[in-house]
């Protein structure tokens, strides 16, 4: 059994000040995908780096286009046979540290920070291009008989049940018809939204809350941090969870346990 976690930490150095290392010890993930790391590896305190390097193989992928922006990382327990690659081989995404590709046998893990359509939807074309290229990559992996896990901050609430106030947000970034259509493209490529698959009619399963107006306390949120898995892996999933009681970011961690 392996435990996969994903967390948009909204700045790694900020998360360290909010108990990240204590959480990591308690959670004890075999695989951890992080989003919005917002720093270079050498900007992290040496003592923290040593602790992490003793336990994990680390693929740290900060944005090169803008300091302190975006970025993703994947950490895997040492000795578990993972290899890592920074980026999708597409400079327009890789310069923002969007995704780490990790492999173990016939399993491919695509973990990353998906683009935000941004205020005024100015980056919607960029986000849609990213989605199209990711679908092509998923299709290629499936054609090669690989099993795929896609995880991270997808920056889209897939359906109305995944957002507290759908009618108020239908043209806002993260809930436009175009973004939701692109999410369906991932499912069309043979992936399953495993948390929703296991909890089809359960409302209130959110992973991100605005920091305004006590939204988190009132659970007025969005589910945008999501595990997608190849259809052939569904029977191997032991659990799929949202850890809304874990603070330290405006997002909470999500996880799956899988029999591999």
């Amino acid at each position: 059994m392996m435990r996969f976690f994903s967390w948009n930490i909204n700045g790694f150095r900020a998360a360290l000040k909010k108990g990240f290392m204590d959480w990591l010890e308690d959670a004890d993930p075999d695989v951890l995908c992080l989003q919005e790391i917002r720093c270079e590896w050498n900007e992290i305190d040496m003592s923290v780096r040593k602790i992490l390097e003793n336990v994990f193989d680390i693929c740290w992928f900060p944005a090169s286009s803008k300091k302190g922006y975006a970025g993703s990382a994947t950490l895997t327990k040492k000795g578990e046979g993972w290899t890592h690659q920074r980026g999708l081989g597409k400079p327009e995404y890789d310069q923002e540290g969007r995704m780490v590709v990790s492999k173990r046998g016939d399993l491919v893990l695509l973990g990353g920070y998906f683009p935000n359509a941004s205020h005024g939807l100015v980056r919607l074309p960029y986000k849609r291009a990213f989605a199209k290229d990711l679908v092509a990559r998923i299709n290629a992996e499936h054609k090669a008989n690989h099993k795929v896990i896609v995880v991270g901050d997808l920056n889209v609430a897939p359906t109305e049940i995944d957002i507290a106030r759908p009618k108020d947000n239908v043209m806002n970034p993260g809930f436009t018809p175009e973004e939701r259509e692109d999410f369906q493209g991932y499912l069309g490529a043979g992936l399953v939204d495993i948390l929703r698959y296991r909890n089809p009619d359960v409302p209130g399963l959110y992973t991100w809350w605005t920091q305004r107006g006590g939204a988190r306390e009132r659970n007025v949120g969005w589910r945008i941090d999501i595990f997608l898995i190849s259809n052939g892996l569904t029977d191997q999933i032991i659990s799929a969870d949202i850890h809304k009681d874990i603070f330290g970011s405006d997002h909470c961690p999500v996880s799956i346990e899988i029999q591999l």
Side-chain angles (χ1 to χ4, degrees):
M1 183 186 74
M2 299 188 77
R3 301 183 73 198
F4 289 68
F5 277 80
S6 178
W7 195 4
N8 181 324
I9 48 172
N10 199 14
F12 186 74
R13 288 173 294 179
L16 288 174
K17 298 175 183 177
K18 300 174 183 177
F20 174 84
M21 295 300 285
D22 289 337
W23 169 81
L24 185 65
E25 184 176 358
D26 289 342
D28 191 27
D30 295 292
V31 178
L32 173 61
C33 296
L34 300 174
Q35 301 89 48
E36 284 201 89
I37 55 173
R38 296 188 184 176
C39 66
E40 301 283 343
W41 183 244
N42 62 12
E43 293 177 308
I44 300 166
D45 185 270
M46 177 67 79
S47 63
V48 172
R49 282 185 279 159
K50 284 184 176 179
I51 292 170
L52 294 175
E53 288 171 344
N54 282 338
V55 179
F56 297 102
D57 293 319
I58 300 164
C59 187
W60 201 259
F61 192 28
S64 60
S65 59
K66 189 191 304 184
K67 190 175 177 64
Y69 171 71
S72 57
T74 296
L75 292 73
T76 55
K77 282 274 184 73
K78 286 185 175 296
E80 294 290 346
W82 290 94
T83 61
H84 304 290
Q85 173 189 317
R86 290 177 162 196
L88 293 168
K90 301 272 186 177
E92 61 268 37
Y93 315 129
D94 296 348
Q95 67 180 352
E96 297 185 1
R98 289 288 165 190
M99 185 156 282
V100 173
V101 180
S102 305
K103 296 183 178 181
R104 180 180 184 265
D106 65 351
L107 181 63
V108 178
L109 171 67
L110 302 167
Y113 180 41
F114 289 46
N116 190 309
S118 299
H119 182 71
L121 305 179
V122 295
R123 298 203 89 193
L124 183 58
Y126 174 82
K127 185 176 185 180
R128 299 207 75 185
F130 176 90
K132 181 179 179 181
D133 288 339
L134 183 57
V135 165
R137 178 61 179 265
I138 295 164
N139 283 330
E141 298 293 354
H142 281 157
K143 188 175 182 179
N145 293 318
H146 295 157
K147 296 177 180 177
V148 178
I149 299 175
V150 174
V151 69
D153 176 0
L154 274 62
N155 261 314
V156 60
T159 66
E160 289 192 354
I161 199 174
D162 298 307
I163 182 171
R165 295 176 176 168
K167 292 180 181 178
D168 294 341
N169 287 286
V170 70
M171 289 310 297
N172 285 337
F175 199 60
T176 62
E178 293 89 348
E179 291 167 282
R180 294 162 65 193
E181 178 184 327
D182 289 341
F183 181 89
Q184 292 301 314
Y186 304 139
L187 305 186
L191 299 182
V192 175
D193 178 352
I194 188 61
L195 185 97
R196 188 52 70 197
Y197 175 81
R198 294 171 71 101
N199 303 275
D201 302 311
V202 179
L205 299 176
Y206 306 134
T207 67
W208 174 82
W209 304 262
T210 178
Q211 298 183 60
R212 299 189 299 270
R216 187 159 186 173
E217 291 74 13
R218 294 182 292 120
N219 199 30
V220 179
W222 302 46
R223 188 175 72 95
I224 59 177
D225 303 88
I226 297 170
F227 273 94
L228 301 172
I229 66 168
S230 292
N231 184 63
L233 288 172
T234 53
D235 290 342
Q236 294 169 242
I237 299 297
I238 299 164
S239 64
D241 295 299
I242 289 172
H243 303 273
K244 65 180 182 180
D245 57 332
I246 302 299
F247 292 82
S249 169
D250 51 351
H251 297 249
C252 73
V254 296
S255 70
I256 60 171
E257 290 183 319
I258 183 169
Q259 192 69 50
L260 290 174

